[in-house]
Amino acid sequence: MTTQENNANIYDSLAVGEQLAHLEYIVTPELLEEYREVVGYTEAYYPHIAAKEYIEVIKRKHVGVLPVISAKHKDEYYAPPPVGKRIQVTGWVKDKYERRGRNWLVVETFAVDEDGREIVRSEHSFLMGGVK
Amino acid sequence: MNSETNNLDIGYRLNSVSKTLDQDRMDRFEKVGRILITEGEETDEPTNIHTDPEKAKAMGLERPIASGQMSYSYIHEMLCREFGIDFRQGGNLSVTFLKPVYAGDTVTTNGIVEDSQDVDGRRTLSINVWLENQDGNKTSTGSANVTIPSPRT
């Protein structure tokens, strides 16, 4: 199966409102430090920006290569993730549509820490497949 | 926070942030995200359109492009530098990625307050944000909102 076919299969199988895979991870001091160094900002507090949770929640449910091109990202910030605490992320398909013959997907994720404290709500729109 | 609330009104221009990208930084951005989300299970450098020239070409791109999330992080930084905890706890940011950003590009963030509302002792600002490359082309545009002081602090 080609990557394009795999992409099309995943897109076709996704339903608006469908709950995607659950994620859990811990922001360690080392990873936060590396993220801050990479983005060049010593007070960066939201390393999820690099984590691309919106792709991972799909990949873990619909296994396969998922080349996409990001179109838009939206975050609503509640509180920075506490270092050392487990972060739990749920995701779902918010929307899918075809435009000019290309498939577009919108995924929403919501992260809380292990105490149930809200961290961030994200929405990401992307094009399935390439620009050609 | 580096601005007095009274100065934060329509037309106020946020302090810009400039970044010059290189392939090493683009690679490391992908890697730190990967390690974080997989809890260290995937430590090998991931290859995708941001790190691999062949994969970039397969997607119709000239060469690897910086992740849109890198651009997002720079605009996020501008807002955090300006508004501090009020943005980090209670703010929101939406960014649309318009043009690719490549290794070697220098991008600069911009933000202008376009609306200001005072309610119950708090000021809510709507900010028009964008990212420009060294040629003056907009590579991302978007909007942000912040309430000072944030009801979440």
PDB file of all heavy atoms in Angstrom, chain A residues 64-94:
ATOM      1  N   GLY A  64       0.076   3.470  11.208  1.00  0.00           N
ATOM      2  CA  GLY A  64       0.552   3.638   9.844  1.00  0.00           C
ATOM      3  C   GLY A  64       1.275   4.956   9.697  1.00  0.00           C
ATOM      4  O   GLY A  64       1.246   5.804  10.567  1.00  0.00           O
ATOM      5  N   VAL A  65       1.889   5.100   8.560  1.00  0.00           N
ATOM      6  CA  VAL A  65       2.575   6.353   8.270  1.00  0.00           C
ATOM      7  C   VAL A  65       1.530   7.422   7.994  1.00  0.00           C
ATOM      8  O   VAL A  65       0.552   7.178   7.303  1.00  0.00           O
ATOM      9  CB  VAL A  65       3.497   6.190   7.044  1.00  0.00           C
ATOM     10  CG1 VAL A  65       4.155   7.505   6.697  1.00  0.00           C
ATOM     11  CG2 VAL A  65       4.530   5.116   7.322  1.00  0.00           C
ATOM     12  N   LEU A  66       1.736   8.570   8.540  1.00  0.00           N
ATOM     13  CA  LEU A  66       0.738   9.629   8.392  1.00  0.00           C
ATOM     14  C   LEU A  66       1.426  10.934   8.010  1.00  0.00           C
ATOM     15  O   LEU A  66       1.542  11.845   8.832  1.00  0.00           O
ATOM     16  CB  LEU A  66      -0.008   9.800   9.718  1.00  0.00           C
ATOM     17  CG  LEU A  66      -1.371  10.495   9.630  1.00  0.00           C
ATOM     18  CD1 LEU A  66      -2.370   9.605   8.923  1.00  0.00           C
ATOM     19  CD2 LEU A  66      -1.880  10.837  11.019  1.00  0.00           C
ATOM     20  N   PRO A  67       1.880  11.050   6.760  1.00  0.00           N
ATOM     21  CA  PRO A  67       2.480  12.326   6.381  1.00  0.00           C
ATOM     22  C   PRO A  67       1.396  13.391   6.224  1.00  0.00           C
ATOM     23  O   PRO A  67       0.408  13.180   5.519  1.00  0.00           O
ATOM     24  CB  PRO A  67       3.151  12.021   5.031  1.00  0.00           C
ATOM     25  CG  PRO A  67       2.475  10.818   4.519  1.00  0.00           C
ATOM     26  CD  PRO A  67       1.854  10.105   5.666  1.00  0.00           C
ATOM     27  N   VAL A  68       1.578  14.471   6.920  1.00  0.00           N
ATOM     28  CA  VAL A  68       0.601  15.558   6.885  1.00  0.00           C
ATOM     29  C   VAL A  68       1.355  16.868   6.798  1.00  0.00           C
ATOM     30  O   VAL A  68       2.543  16.943   7.092  1.00  0.00           O
ATOM     31  CB  VAL A  68      -0.299  15.561   8.135  1.00  0.00           C
ATOM     32  CG1 VAL A  68      -1.092  14.277   8.251  1.00  0.00           C
ATOM     33  CG2 VAL A  68       0.520  15.795   9.394  1.00  0.00           C
ATOM     34  N   ILE A  69       0.648  17.904   6.393  1.00  0.00           N
ATOM     35  CA  ILE A  69       1.219  19.252   6.425  1.00  0.00           C
ATOM     36  C   ILE A  69       0.306  20.101   7.293  1.00  0.00           C
ATOM     37  O   ILE A  69      -0.903  20.197   7.041  1.00  0.00           O
ATOM     38  CB  ILE A  69       1.358  19.835   5.017  1.00  0.00           C
ATOM     39  CG1 ILE A  69       2.441  19.073   4.266  1.00  0.00           C
ATOM     40  CG2 ILE A  69       1.705  21.323   5.083  1.00  0.00           C
ATOM     41  CD1 ILE A  69       2.831  19.653   2.940  1.00  0.00           C
ATOM     42  N   SER A  70       0.894  20.707   8.317  1.00  0.00           N
ATOM     43  CA  SER A  70       0.120  21.508   9.255  1.00  0.00           C
ATOM     44  C   SER A  70      -0.376  22.786   8.600  1.00  0.00           C
ATOM     45  O   SER A  70       0.358  23.430   7.843  1.00  0.00           O
ATOM     46  CB  SER A  70       0.976  21.876  10.473  1.00  0.00           C
ATOM     47  OG  SER A  70       1.293  20.729  11.216  1.00  0.00           O
ATOM     48  N   ALA A  71      -1.605  23.142   8.915  1.00  0.00           N
ATOM     49  CA  ALA A  71      -2.194  24.362   8.363  1.00  0.00           C
ATOM     50  C   ALA A  71      -2.461  25.392   9.450  1.00  0.00           C
ATOM     51  O   ALA A  71      -2.305  26.590   9.233  1.00  0.00           O
ATOM     52  CB  ALA A  71      -3.481  24.046   7.625  1.00  0.00           C
ATOM     53  N   LYS A  72      -2.887  24.916  10.623  1.00  0.00           N
ATOM     54  CA  LYS A  72      -3.298  25.866  11.661  1.00  0.00           C
ATOM     55  C   LYS A  72      -3.197  25.195  13.014  1.00  0.00           C
ATOM     56  O   LYS A  72      -3.472  23.992  13.137  1.00  0.00           O
ATOM     57  CB  LYS A  72      -4.747  26.284  11.393  1.00  0.00           C
ATOM     58  CG  LYS A  72      -5.318  27.322  12.321  1.00  0.00           C
ATOM     59  CD  LYS A  72      -6.723  27.721  11.854  1.00  0.00           C
ATOM     60  CE  LYS A  72      -7.330  28.764  12.755  1.00  0.00           C
ATOM     61  NZ  LYS A  72      -8.683  29.168  12.282  1.00  0.00           N
ATOM     62  N   HIS A  73      -2.802  25.982  14.024  1.00  0.00           N
ATOM     63  CA  HIS A  73      -2.762  25.468  15.387  1.00  0.00           C
ATOM     64  C   HIS A  73      -3.353  26.495  16.327  1.00  0.00           C
ATOM     65  O   HIS A  73      -3.090  27.697  16.196  1.00  0.00           O
ATOM     66  CB  HIS A  73      -1.328  25.144  15.817  1.00  0.00           C
ATOM     67  CG  HIS A  73      -1.255  24.459  17.141  1.00  0.00           C
ATOM     68  ND1 HIS A  73      -1.417  23.099  17.283  1.00  0.00           N
ATOM     69  CD2 HIS A  73      -1.072  24.942  18.395  1.00  0.00           C
ATOM     70  CE1 HIS A  73      -1.330  22.776  18.557  1.00  0.00           C
ATOM     71  NE2 HIS A  73      -1.121  23.866  19.258  1.00  0.00           N
ATOM     72  N   LYS A  74      -4.152  25.988  17.272  1.00  0.00           N
ATOM     73  CA  LYS A  74      -4.803  26.878  18.231  1.00  0.00           C
ATOM     74  C   LYS A  74      -4.656  26.266  19.621  1.00  0.00           C
ATOM     75  O   LYS A  74      -4.864  25.062  19.795  1.00  0.00           O
ATOM     76  CB  LYS A  74      -6.285  26.990  17.867  1.00  0.00           C
ATOM     77  CG  LYS A  74      -7.048  28.023  18.638  1.00  0.00           C
ATOM     78  CD  LYS A  74      -8.565  27.852  18.433  1.00  0.00           C
ATOM     79  CE  LYS A  74      -9.023  28.015  17.024  1.00  0.00           C
ATOM     80  NZ  LYS A  74     -10.502  27.989  16.901  1.00  0.00           N
ATOM     81  N   ASP A  75      -4.273  27.059  20.607  1.00  0.00           N
ATOM     82  CA  ASP A  75      -4.155  26.603  21.987  1.00  0.00           C
ATOM     83  C   ASP A  75      -4.936  27.520  22.908  1.00  0.00           C
ATOM     84  O   ASP A  75      -4.942  28.739  22.721  1.00  0.00           O
ATOM     85  CB  ASP A  75      -2.696  26.625  22.474  1.00  0.00           C
ATOM     86  CG  ASP A  75      -1.910  25.382  22.127  1.00  0.00           C
ATOM     87  OD1 ASP A  75      -2.528  24.351  21.788  1.00  0.00           O
ATOM     88  OD2 ASP A  75      -0.662  25.448  22.212  1.00  0.00           O
ATOM     89  N   GLU A  76      -5.517  26.918  23.919  1.00  0.00           N
ATOM     90  CA  GLU A  76      -6.079  27.690  25.026  1.00  0.00           C
ATOM     91  C   GLU A  76      -5.328  27.225  26.279  1.00  0.00           C
ATOM     92  O   GLU A  76      -5.333  26.038  26.596  1.00  0.00           O
ATOM     93  CB  GLU A  76      -7.572  27.422  25.170  1.00  0.00           C
ATOM     94  CG  GLU A  76      -8.231  28.295  26.213  1.00  0.00           C
ATOM     95  CD  GLU A  76      -9.729  28.444  26.005  1.00  0.00           C
ATOM     96  OE1 GLU A  76     -10.240  27.981  24.962  1.00  0.00           O
ATOM     97  OE2 GLU A  76     -10.366  29.003  26.895  1.00  0.00           O
ATOM     98  N   TYR A  77      -4.668  28.143  26.953  1.00  0.00           N
ATOM     99  CA  TYR A  77      -3.771  27.804  28.050  1.00  0.00           C
ATOM    100  C   TYR A  77      -4.466  27.956  29.396  1.00  0.00           C
ATOM    101  O   TYR A  77      -5.023  29.013  29.707  1.00  0.00           O
ATOM    102  CB  TYR A  77      -2.524  28.703  28.003  1.00  0.00           C
ATOM    103  CG  TYR A  77      -1.771  28.553  26.707  1.00  0.00           C
ATOM    104  CD1 TYR A  77      -1.891  29.494  25.704  1.00  0.00           C
ATOM    105  CD2 TYR A  77      -0.979  27.431  26.477  1.00  0.00           C
ATOM    106  CE1 TYR A  77      -1.233  29.331  24.493  1.00  0.00           C
ATOM    107  CE2 TYR A  77      -0.318  27.269  25.280  1.00  0.00           C
ATOM    108  CZ  TYR A  77      -0.463  28.216  24.288  1.00  0.00           C
ATOM    109  OH  TYR A  77       0.183  28.043  23.093  1.00  0.00           O
ATOM    110  N   TYR A  78      -4.343  26.912  30.193  1.00  0.00           N
ATOM    111  CA  TYR A  78      -4.923  26.943  31.539  1.00  0.00           C
ATOM    112  C   TYR A  78      -3.830  27.062  32.591  1.00  0.00           C
ATOM    113  O   TYR A  78      -3.890  27.915  33.468  1.00  0.00           O
ATOM    114  CB  TYR A  78      -5.773  25.693  31.766  1.00  0.00           C
ATOM    115  CG  TYR A  78      -6.878  25.537  30.743  1.00  0.00           C
ATOM    116  CD1 TYR A  78      -6.917  24.443  29.886  1.00  0.00           C
ATOM    117  CD2 TYR A  78      -7.884  26.496  30.630  1.00  0.00           C
ATOM    118  CE1 TYR A  78      -7.934  24.305  28.944  1.00  0.00           C
ATOM    119  CE2 TYR A  78      -8.898  26.365  29.683  1.00  0.00           C
ATOM    120  CZ  TYR A  78      -8.907  25.266  28.836  1.00  0.00           C
ATOM    121  OH  TYR A  78      -9.908  25.134  27.907  1.00  0.00           O
ATOM    122  N   ALA A  79      -2.840  26.185  32.534  1.00  0.00           N
ATOM    123  CA  ALA A  79      -1.716  26.230  33.467  1.00  0.00           C
ATOM    124  C   ALA A  79      -0.572  25.415  32.896  1.00  0.00           C
ATOM    125  O   ALA A  79      -0.805  24.367  32.298  1.00  0.00           O
ATOM    126  CB  ALA A  79      -2.115  25.666  34.829  1.00  0.00           C
ATOM    127  N   PRO A  80       0.668  25.852  33.043  1.00  0.00           N
ATOM    128  CA  PRO A  80       1.801  25.077  32.532  1.00  0.00           C
ATOM    129  C   PRO A  80       1.843  23.683  33.151  1.00  0.00           C
ATOM    130  O   PRO A  80       1.497  23.511  34.327  1.00  0.00           O
ATOM    131  CB  PRO A  80       3.013  25.896  32.961  1.00  0.00           C
ATOM    132  CG  PRO A  80       2.493  27.292  33.106  1.00  0.00           C
ATOM    133  CD  PRO A  80       1.097  27.123  33.621  1.00  0.00           C
ATOM    134  N   PRO A  81       2.277  22.679  32.404  1.00  0.00           N
ATOM    135  CA  PRO A  81       2.349  21.323  32.946  1.00  0.00           C
ATOM    136  C   PRO A  81       3.372  21.262  34.063  1.00  0.00           C
ATOM    137  O   PRO A  81       4.512  21.705  33.900  1.00  0.00           O
ATOM    138  CB  PRO A  81       2.803  20.478  31.747  1.00  0.00           C
ATOM    139  CG  PRO A  81       3.445  21.440  30.816  1.00  0.00           C
ATOM    140  CD  PRO A  81       2.751  22.751  31.013  1.00  0.00           C
ATOM    141  N   PRO A  82       2.996  20.731  35.225  1.00  0.00           N
ATOM    142  CA  PRO A  82       3.959  20.629  36.327  1.00  0.00           C
ATOM    143  C   PRO A  82       5.053  19.628  35.971  1.00  0.00           C
ATOM    144  O   PRO A  82       4.764  18.520  35.508  1.00  0.00           O
ATOM    145  CB  PRO A  82       3.120  20.122  37.499  1.00  0.00           C
ATOM    146  CG  PRO A  82       1.698  20.213  37.075  1.00  0.00           C
ATOM    147  CD  PRO A  82       1.672  20.215  35.595  1.00  0.00           C
ATOM    148  N   VAL A  83       6.277  20.013  36.204  1.00  0.00           N
ATOM    149  CA  VAL A  83       7.395  19.112  35.930  1.00  0.00           C
ATOM    150  C   VAL A  83       7.326  17.921  36.880  1.00  0.00           C
ATOM    151  O   VAL A  83       7.125  18.081  38.082  1.00  0.00           O
ATOM    152  CB  VAL A  83       8.730  19.863  36.098  1.00  0.00           C
ATOM    153  CG1 VAL A  83       9.908  18.903  36.025  1.00  0.00           C
ATOM    154  CG2 VAL A  83       8.858  20.941  35.034  1.00  0.00           C
ATOM    155  N   GLY A  84       7.478  16.725  36.311  1.00  0.00           N
ATOM    156  CA  GLY A  84       7.473  15.517  37.121  1.00  0.00           C
ATOM    157  C   GLY A  84       6.104  14.881  37.301  1.00  0.00           C
ATOM    158  O   GLY A  84       6.011  13.765  37.794  1.00  0.00           O
ATOM    159  N   LYS A  85       5.052  15.562  36.895  1.00  0.00           N
ATOM    160  CA  LYS A  85       3.716  14.973  37.025  1.00  0.00           C
ATOM    161  C   LYS A  85       3.275  14.404  35.677  1.00  0.00           C
ATOM    162  O   LYS A  85       3.628  14.922  34.622  1.00  0.00           O
ATOM    163  CB  LYS A  85       2.699  16.023  37.491  1.00  0.00           C
ATOM    164  CG  LYS A  85       2.850  16.387  38.948  1.00  0.00           C
ATOM    165  CD  LYS A  85       1.561  16.938  39.511  1.00  0.00           C
ATOM    166  CE  LYS A  85       1.717  17.083  41.025  1.00  0.00           C
ATOM    167  NZ  LYS A  85       0.527  17.580  41.682  1.00  0.00           N
ATOM    168  N   ARG A  86       2.485  13.358  35.760  1.00  0.00           N
ATOM    169  CA  ARG A  86       2.015  12.696  34.540  1.00  0.00           C
ATOM    170  C   ARG A  86       0.942  13.558  33.882  1.00  0.00           C
ATOM    171  O   ARG A  86      -0.004  14.001  34.526  1.00  0.00           O
ATOM    172  CB  ARG A  86       1.470  11.313  34.883  1.00  0.00           C
ATOM    173  CG  ARG A  86       1.106  10.457  33.709  1.00  0.00           C
ATOM    174  CD  ARG A  86       1.152   8.984  34.064  1.00  0.00           C
ATOM    175  NE  ARG A  86       2.513   8.514  34.206  1.00  0.00           N
ATOM    176  CZ  ARG A  86       3.266   8.115  33.178  1.00  0.00           C
ATOM    177  NH1 ARG A  86       2.811   8.148  31.966  1.00  0.00           N
ATOM    178  NH2 ARG A  86       4.493   7.701  33.385  1.00  0.00           N
ATOM    179  N   ILE A  87       1.116  13.783  32.585  1.00  0.00           N
ATOM    180  CA  ILE A  87       0.151  14.530  31.796  1.00  0.00           C
ATOM    181  C   ILE A  87      -0.676  13.532  30.996  1.00  0.00           C
ATOM    182  O   ILE A  87      -0.135  12.606  30.398  1.00  0.00           O
ATOM    183  CB  ILE A  87       0.855  15.508  30.820  1.00  0.00           C
ATOM    184  CG1 ILE A  87       1.858  16.385  31.566  1.00  0.00           C
ATOM    185  CG2 ILE A  87      -0.162  16.341  30.065  1.00  0.00           C
ATOM    186  CD1 ILE A  87       1.247  17.213  32.674  1.00  0.00           C
ATOM    187  N   GLN A  88      -1.996  13.721  30.998  1.00  0.00           N
ATOM    188  CA  GLN A  88      -2.898  12.802  30.298  1.00  0.00           C
ATOM    189  C   GLN A  88      -3.623  13.587  29.213  1.00  0.00           C
ATOM    190  O   GLN A  88      -4.194  14.645  29.477  1.00  0.00           O
ATOM    191  CB  GLN A  88      -3.891  12.197  31.299  1.00  0.00           C
ATOM    192  CG  GLN A  88      -3.187  11.404  32.387  1.00  0.00           C
ATOM    193  CD  GLN A  88      -4.086  11.043  33.549  1.00  0.00           C
ATOM    194  OE1 GLN A  88      -5.151  11.636  33.720  1.00  0.00           O
ATOM    195  NE2 GLN A  88      -3.669  10.085  34.350  1.00  0.00           N
ATOM    196  N   VAL A  89      -3.581  13.030  28.012  1.00  0.00           N
ATOM    197  CA  VAL A  89      -4.125  13.735  26.848  1.00  0.00           C
ATOM    198  C   VAL A  89      -5.194  12.880  26.190  1.00  0.00           C
ATOM    199  O   VAL A  89      -4.967  11.699  25.922  1.00  0.00           O
ATOM    200  CB  VAL A  89      -3.020  14.039  25.818  1.00  0.00           C
ATOM    201  CG1 VAL A  89      -3.594  14.809  24.627  1.00  0.00           C
ATOM    202  CG2 VAL A  89      -1.875  14.807  26.460  1.00  0.00           C
ATOM    203  N   THR A  90      -6.342  13.485  25.942  1.00  0.00           N
ATOM    204  CA  THR A  90      -7.368  12.821  25.150  1.00  0.00           C
ATOM    205  C   THR A  90      -7.536  13.602  23.856  1.00  0.00           C
ATOM    206  O   THR A  90      -7.318  14.820  23.826  1.00  0.00           O
ATOM    207  CB  THR A  90      -8.723  12.752  25.875  1.00  0.00           C
ATOM    208  OG1 THR A  90      -9.072  14.072  26.320  1.00  0.00           O
ATOM    209  CG2 THR A  90      -8.652  11.838  27.072  1.00  0.00           C
ATOM    210  N   GLY A  91      -7.899  12.882  22.796  1.00  0.00           N
ATOM    211  CA  GLY A  91      -8.046  13.553  21.510  1.00  0.00           C
ATOM    212  C   GLY A  91      -9.253  13.025  20.762  1.00  0.00           C
ATOM    213  O   GLY A  91      -9.692  11.895  20.995  1.00  0.00           O
ATOM    214  N   TRP A  92      -9.762  13.838  19.875  1.00  0.00           N
ATOM    215  CA  TRP A  92     -10.892  13.405  19.048  1.00  0.00           C
ATOM    216  C   TRP A  92     -10.881  14.150  17.733  1.00  0.00           C
ATOM    217  O   TRP A  92     -10.238  15.198  17.590  1.00  0.00           O
ATOM    218  CB  TRP A  92     -12.227  13.597  19.800  1.00  0.00           C
ATOM    219  CG  TRP A  92     -12.472  14.968  20.294  1.00  0.00           C
ATOM    220  CD1 TRP A  92     -13.155  15.950  19.667  1.00  0.00           C
ATOM    221  CD2 TRP A  92     -12.016  15.522  21.541  1.00  0.00           C
ATOM    222  NE1 TRP A  92     -13.144  17.082  20.438  1.00  0.00           N
ATOM    223  CE2 TRP A  92     -12.465  16.851  21.595  1.00  0.00           C
ATOM    224  CE3 TRP A  92     -11.270  15.020  22.611  1.00  0.00           C
ATOM    225  CZ2 TRP A  92     -12.196  17.681  22.685  1.00  0.00           C
ATOM    226  CZ3 TRP A  92     -11.003  15.844  23.694  1.00  0.00           C
ATOM    227  CH2 TRP A  92     -11.472  17.159  23.709  1.00  0.00           C
ATOM    228  N   VAL A  93     -11.615  13.603  16.779  1.00  0.00           N
ATOM    229  CA  VAL A  93     -11.730  14.234  15.474  1.00  0.00           C
ATOM    230  C   VAL A  93     -12.784  15.325  15.576  1.00  0.00           C
ATOM    231  O   VAL A  93     -13.956  15.053  15.842  1.00  0.00           O
ATOM    232  CB  VAL A  93     -12.135  13.210  14.387  1.00  0.00           C
ATOM    233  CG1 VAL A  93     -12.294  13.917  13.038  1.00  0.00           C
ATOM    234  CG2 VAL A  93     -11.115  12.093  14.305  1.00  0.00           C
ATOM    235  N   LYS A  94     -12.375  16.548  15.377  1.00  0.00           N
ATOM    236  CA  LYS A  94     -13.325  17.658  15.472  1.00  0.00           C
ATOM    237  C   LYS A  94     -14.028  17.897  14.142  1.00  0.00           C
ATOM    238  O   LYS A  94     -15.208  18.240  14.101  1.00  0.00           O
ATOM    239  CB  LYS A  94     -12.618  18.923  15.922  1.00  0.00           C
ATOM    240  CG  LYS A  94     -13.576  20.081  16.137  1.00  0.00           C
ATOM    241  CD  LYS A  94     -12.959  21.220  16.891  1.00  0.00           C
ATOM    242  CE  LYS A  94     -14.039  22.295  17.130  1.00  0.00           C
ATOM    243  NZ  LYS A  94     -13.514  23.482  17.796  1.00  0.00           N
TER     244      LYS A  94
END
